[in-house]
């Protein structure tokens, strides 16, 4: 089993930056697709970025493209989300997630506990 633990959330001003970290244990990232999701009250969890552990290929939601960067450190089994130029609407609980390369897209079945990001004006 893979275990995921997020850290790095907090309170930040509009226009500021935060970096979220996801520590991965139990398996190596190379065999997984790693992703960041976020969720606000009353709404579904939404994938905002993912990275393929084997190839490094990255994909972003339109809402964060150009502002957020996902990266992975396969040697240390870490995944990061660098968030720049934060907006009020980025306020959410952010989750690290993983799925095996062999499972269907968006069938993420491993999740961290979440970390709150609050953007204030």
């Amino acid at each position: 089993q893979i275990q995921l633990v997020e850290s790095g959330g907090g309170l930040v001003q509009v226009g500021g930056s935060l970096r979220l970290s996801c520590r991965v244990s139990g398996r190596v990232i190379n065999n997984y697709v790693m992703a960041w999701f976020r969720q606000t009250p009353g709404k579904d969890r939404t994938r905002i970025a993912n990275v393929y552990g084997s190839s490094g290929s990255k994909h972003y939601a339109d809402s964060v493209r150009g502002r957020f960067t996902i990266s992975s450190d396969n040697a240390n089994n870490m995944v990061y989300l660098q968030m720049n130029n934060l907006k009020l609407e980025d306020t959410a609980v952010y989750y690290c997630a993983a799925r095996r390369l062999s499972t269907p897209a968006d069938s993420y079945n491993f999740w961290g506990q979440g970390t709150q990001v609050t953007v204030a004006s």
Side-chain angles (χ1 to χ4, degrees):
Q1 281 291 72
I2 191 171
Q3 292 87 40
L4 309 173
V5 178
E6 305 99 335
S7 60
L11 175 65
V12 64
Q13 299 290 321
V14 169
S17 298
L18 275 178
R19 189 177 82 154
L20 305 182
S21 300
C22 176
R23 179 168 54 85
V24 182
S25 58
R27 294 290 186 271
V28 294
I29 292 177
N30 285 6
N31 300 323
Y32 287 81
V33 182
M34 305 300 302
W36 287 97
F37 285 70
R38 67 186 181 188
Q39 187 173 28
T40 54
K43 294 191 176 181
D44 292 337
R45 204 170 291 188
T46 303
R47 178 166 55 87
I48 55 172
N50 68 358
V51 58
Y52 282 67
S54 55
S55 69
S57 177
K58 303 174 183 180
H59 304 87
Y60 297 93
D62 289 343
S63 58
V64 306
R65 186 175 293 112
R67 299 187 298 122
F68 291 12
T69 303
I70 189 171
S71 61
S72 64
D73 179 351
N74 289 18
N76 292 298
N77 259 21
M78 294 292 294
V79 181
Y80 302 99
L81 185 69
Q82 177 66 42
M83 305 185 294
N84 297 330
N85 190 23
L86 283 159
K87 304 177 180 181
L88 292 173
E89 53 264 40
D90 294 319
T91 296
V93 178
Y94 285 70
Y95 296 89
C96 181
R99 66 172 177 85
R100 295 183 182 87
L101 286 170
S102 58
T103 58
D106 285 330
S107 296
Y108 291 86
N109 48 0
F110 302 103
W111 295 88
Q113 81 286 356
T115 185
Q116 176 70 45
V117 172
T118 302
V119 184
S121 58

